[in-house]
C-alpha cells in the first residue's frame, strides 16, 4: 500500500515508524514530516493544514490510505474531502471531529447520554458569564469553546482570575472566534489519565491508557507545554481492569454510540482525557486524534500491525480486529530547547543519536538537517522512548539514553515516571 501520514511532530514520526513495520507497506510519505521521518519515508512539502494540496498529492500519487495526525486538518474537513474523492482516510469527518473542536457540542452530547463529567454552563455573553462566575465558587475552570492550540483552558483559583480569563477569551478574543463561546466548568480534583481507542461507528477497540506531563518543570511546576513526557500504562491506582471496564461501559461505548447516531460514522482514534476522582473517572475533554506525547508510548506497546488496524477502521471493519497491547511499560522523555515554551534558539548541532540502546527509539519533532548535520529546529526537539518489563526499568533506560543526546541548551524534566510521582499519586489517593 502507498500511505500518506499528515503532520510533522513526534506523534506523526511514531505513527510513521509503526506503519513502516507493516509488510503491507509499499511506499510511505509524510506531509510535511520532519528530519526523523526523512530517514525512512519520503517527506512531502505540503503543510498539514493545506487540505487541497494534500488531496491533489494523494490523487496524483495513488495513495491507498491517508492517516491524519493533528486535529486542524480534521476540523478543516480533510476526511470529508478525501471521502468525496473516493480516497480511504483514517480520522473522523468534520462533523465527528466536533467532539474535540467544539467543547459545548461535546459537553451537550456527553451530558445527554449520562456520561460522568464536570458540570458546566455555556455562555455567549460576557456579562452573563461574569455574573455567573462571581456568584459561584472557586477554583473554577474557564474553557474556550473552539480550538486554541491547547491553551484555551484556564483553571482559575480566584474570582478575579476567572474574570480575567473571560475577558481575554470573550473581549480581547485572544483565540479569535474560538473564545466567543465559553464553558464555565466545575473544578475536578484527582489525577489525570489519557485513554485511547480505535472507533468505527458504535464499535470501540480495546482501550490503552497513558499519563502525560504537561508542565515544563519538575514536580509539575511552571508553564504549560505541548507535553514533556509520558508513560503507559498508568499506575494501578489509576488504571486497572475494574477502572478499564468502567471507562469502556460508562464513557467510551456511550460516546461512540452517540457519535454514530449523530453523524456520519466516526472512524479514527477517540481520545478521552479523564480525571480519576473519588467518585470514579470523569471526562475532562475528548480529542479526535492521538495525543502527543502519549502516542509515542502507546504505539510502542501496540502489538498489531498499525497499518492493518487503520485500514480496518477506515473501511468500517473494526469488528475484524483485536487490538493487543504489550504488557510491558513504555516511558517517553521529551528533550526541549532551553527557554521553551517561551523563546529559544534553533540550529544547535545534536550529537548522540547514533548511540542509542536496543529497545530505545527517539522520535523527532523540532529537528532538521543542515549540511549533513542534525540540528535543532523547534521547542520540543525529540521524544526518547523506551520499553521494558517495569516502568522503573523503562524509566532508567529512557534517561540513560536521554543523557547521551547532547545539544547546546538542551532541557528535559528529570521526574517523568519517577517514583516520587508515584509517591505523590498514592499519597493523594490515600489521603482522600
Ligand atoms: P484540556 O485542554 O481540556 O485538556 O484542559 C487542559 C487541562 O486543564 C487539563 O489537562 C486539566 O489539567 C485541566 N482541566 C480541564 N478541565 C478541568 C476540570 N474540570 N477540573 C480540573 N482541571 C481541569
Ligand atoms: N497530550 C495531550 C494532547 O495531545 O492533547
Amino acid at each position: 500500500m502507498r500511505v500518506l501520514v499528515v503532520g510533522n511532530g513526534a506523534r506523526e514520526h511514531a505513527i510513521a515508524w509503526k506503519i513502516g513495520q507493516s509488510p503491507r507497506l509499499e511506499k510511505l510519505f509524510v506531509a510535511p514530516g520532519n528530519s526523523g521521518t526523512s530517514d525512512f519515508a519520503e517527506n512531502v512539502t505540503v503543510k498539514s493544514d493545506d487540505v487541497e494540496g494534500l488531496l491533489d498529492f494523494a490523487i496524483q500519487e495513488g495513495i491507498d490510505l491517508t492517516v491524519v495526525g493533528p486535529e486542524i486538518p480534521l476540523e478543516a474537513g480533510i476526511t470529508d474531502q478525501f471521502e468525496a474523492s473516493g480516497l480511504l482516510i483514517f480520522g473522523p469527518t468534520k462533523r465527528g471531529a466536533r467532539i474535540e473542536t467544539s467543547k459545548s457540542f461535546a459537553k451537550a452530547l456527553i451530558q445527554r447520554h449520562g456520561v460522568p463529567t464536570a458540570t458546566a454552563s455555556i455562555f455567549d455573553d460576557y456579562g452573563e458569564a461574569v455574573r455567573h462566575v462571581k456568584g459561584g465558587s472557586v477554583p473554577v475552570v474557564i474553557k474556550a469553546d473552539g480550538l486554541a492550540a491547547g491553551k484555551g483552558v484556564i483553571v482559575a483559583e480566584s474570582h478575579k482570575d476567572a474574570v480575567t480569563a473571560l475577558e481575554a477569551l470573550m473581549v480581547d478574543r485572544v483565540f479569535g472566534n474560538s473564545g466567543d463561546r465559553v464553558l464555565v466548568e466545575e473544578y475536578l480534583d484527582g489525577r489525570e489519565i489519557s485513554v485511547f481507542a480505535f472507533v468505527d461507528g458504535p464499535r470501540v477497540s480495546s482501550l490503552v491508557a497513558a499519563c502525560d506531563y504537561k508542565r515544563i518543570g519538575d514536580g509539575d511546576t511552571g508553564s504549560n507545554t505541548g507535553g514533556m513526557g509520558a508513560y503507559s500504562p498508568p499506575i494501578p491506582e489509576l488504571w486497572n481492569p475494574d477502572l478499564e471496564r468502567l471507562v469502556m461501559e460508562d464513557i467510551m461505548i456511550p460516546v461512540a454510540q452517540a457519535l454514530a447516531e449523530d453523524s456520519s460514522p466516526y472512524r479514527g482514534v477517540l481520545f478521552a482525557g479523564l480525571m480519576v476522582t473519588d467518585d470514579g473517572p470523569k471526562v475532562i475533554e475528548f480529542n479526535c486524534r492521538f495525543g502527543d506525547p502519549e502516542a509515542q508510548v502507546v504505539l510502542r506497546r501496540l502489538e498489531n500491525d498499525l497499518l492493518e488496524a487503520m485500514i480496518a477502521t477506515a473501511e468500517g471493519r473494526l469488528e475484524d480486529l483485536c487490538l493487543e497491547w504489550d504488557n510491558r511499560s513504555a516511558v517517553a522523555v521529551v528533550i526541549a530547547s532551553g527557554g521553551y515554551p517561551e523563546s529559544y534558539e534553533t540550529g544547535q548541532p545534536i550529537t548522540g543519536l547514533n548511540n542509542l540502546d536496543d529497545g530505545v527509539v527517539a522520535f523527532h519533532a523540532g529537528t532538521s538537517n543542515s549540511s549533513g548535520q542534525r540540528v535543532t529546529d523547534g521547542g520540543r526537539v525529540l521524544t526518547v522512548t523506551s520499553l521494558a518489563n517495569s516502568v522503573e526499568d523503562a524509566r532508567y533506560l529512557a534517561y540513560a539514553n536521554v543523557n547521551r543526546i547532547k545539544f547546546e541548551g538542551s532541557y528535559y524534566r528529570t521526574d517523568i515516571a519517577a517514583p516520587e510521582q508515584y509517591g505523590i499519586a498514592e499519597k493523594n489517593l490515600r489521603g482522600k
Side-chain angles (χ1 to χ4, degrees):
M1 296 203 66
R2 297 168 68 77
V3 178
L4 171 65
V5 174
V6 176
N8 66 351
R11 167 181 54 201
E12 287 77 20
H13 184 172
I15 293 170
W17 166 83
K18 189 73 186 171
I19 289 176
Q21 295 165 13
S22 172
R24 291 191 64 182
L25 182 72
E26 180 201 318
K27 172 109 184 148
L28 182 60
F29 299 92
V30 190
N34 58 42
S35 80
T37 60
S38 73
D39 290 344
F40 60 95
E42 187 173 324
N43 284 351
V44 181
T45 51
V46 182
K47 291 218 172 89
S48 60
D49 57 358
D50 178 3
V51 174
E52 293 293 331
L54 293 167
L55 184 60
D56 287 347
F57 176 82
I59 292 170
Q60 212 177 334
E61 285 292 336
I63 297 295
D64 299 301
L65 177 74
T66 299
V67 176
V68 187
E71 64 278 14
I72 301 278
L74 294 169
E75 185 185 41
I78 187 170
T79 297
D80 311 65
Q81 287 206 41
F82 272 55
E83 286 181 348
S85 298
L87 293 174
L88 194 63
I89 183 162
F90 181 87
T93 59
K94 184 180 171 70
R95 206 172 153 81
R98 286 183 306 167
I99 197 70
E100 168 165 3
T101 63
S102 168
K103 289 190 194 290
S104 58
F105 166 82
K107 187 61 89 177
L109 182 142
I110 61 189
Q111 282 179 339
R112 207 162 55 239
H113 291 83
V115 173
T117 187
T119 56
S121 304
I122 295 166
F123 297 95
D124 295 311
D125 181 80
Y126 171 68
E128 271 178 39
V130 168
R131 273 194 296 283
H132 177 86
V133 156
K134 283 186 172 164
S137 58
V138 284
V140 67
V141 185
I142 311 291
K143 298 188 172 186
D145 185 45
L147 293 181
K151 299 194 177 106
V153 175
I154 302 102
V155 179
E157 302 284 345
S158 66
H159 287 103
K160 186 167 162 279
D161 288 353
V163 172
T164 305
L166 288 172
E167 192 175 333
L169 295 178
M170 302 186 89
V171 181
D172 301 337
R173 301 181 83 241
V174 292
F175 299 117
N177 53 16
S178 281
D180 286 347
R181 170 173 288 178
V182 298
L183 280 74
V184 178
E185 192 169 282
E186 171 197 8
Y187 173 79
L188 296 176
D189 201 9
R191 296 262 301 171
E192 278 180 71
I193 55 170
S194 304
V195 177
F196 301 89
F198 283 47
V199 167
D200 158 24
R203 286 170 292 275
V204 180
S205 73
S206 65
L207 308 182
V208 65
C211 289
D212 79 340
Y213 293 76
K214 292 197 171 82
R215 302 294 190 102
I216 186 73
D218 283 0
D220 286 336
T221 53
S223 309
N224 259 318
T225 69
M228 294 304 292
Y231 72 94
S232 174
I235 51 172
E237 287 80 354
L238 300 176
W239 192 244
N240 55 53
D242 287 340
L243 267 173
E244 183 169 346
R245 199 171 331 106
L246 206 65
V247 170
M248 181 62 108
E249 287 172 7
D250 292 356
I251 298 176
M252 301 304 273
I253 289 180
V255 169
Q257 284 176 346
L259 283 169
E261 282 161 24
D262 174 84
S263 50
S264 51
Y266 185 105
R267 294 199 179 116
V269 167
L270 185 62
F271 163 2
L274 306 179
M275 191 72 88
V276 181
T277 73
D278 286 349
D279 302 328
K282 293 189 179 181
V283 173
I284 298 177
E285 61 161 358
F286 275 103
N287 295 307
C288 60
R289 52 171 173 83
F290 270 122
D292 187 343
E294 291 96 325
Q296 293 91 302
V297 282
V298 161
L299 292 174
R300 293 287 324 257
R301 294 186 53 224
L302 178 63
E303 290 182 340
N304 303 63
D305 177 329
L306 179 62
L307 178 54
E308 198 80 68
M310 287 177 152
I311 296 167
T313 307
E315 287 182 346
R317 293 187 290 103
L318 188 60
E319 72 265 24
D320 297 350
L321 198 73
C322 180
L323 280 191
E324 310 258 16
W325 306 99
D326 195 321
N327 283 330
R328 289 177 292 170
S329 294
V331 168
V333 179
V334 171
I335 310 182
S337 299
Y340 171 80
E342 279 85 40
S343 62
Y344 51 81
E345 283 183 19
T346 58
Q348 303 296 340
I350 306 170
T351 59
L353 281 169
N354 295 328
N355 184 24
L356 302 182
D357 288 321
D358 284 349
V360 172
V361 184
F363 295 118
H364 292 230
T367 65
S368 62
N369 289 320
S370 171
S371 326
Q373 163 81 57
R374 198 87 73 167
V375 299
T376 65
D377 194 20
R380 285 153 83 229
V381 177
L382 294 155
T383 307
V384 178
T385 65
S386 60
L387 191 63
N389 283 333
S390 68
V391 81
E392 288 75 20
D393 288 352
R395 169 179 151 72
Y396 182 84
L397 185 61
Y399 275 108
N401 286 270
V402 163
N403 288 330
R404 279 180 222 159
I405 300 171
K406 309 240 185 261
F407 59 86
E408 186 73 31
S410 70
Y411 170 81
Y412 54 86
R413 272 181 70 156
T414 65
D415 64 347
I416 304 302
E420 300 90 85
Q421 287 287 356
Y422 295 141
I424 292 165
E426 282 167 17
K427 195 169 77 216
N428 280 350
L429 290 164
R430 273 201 306 272
K432 281 183 180 159

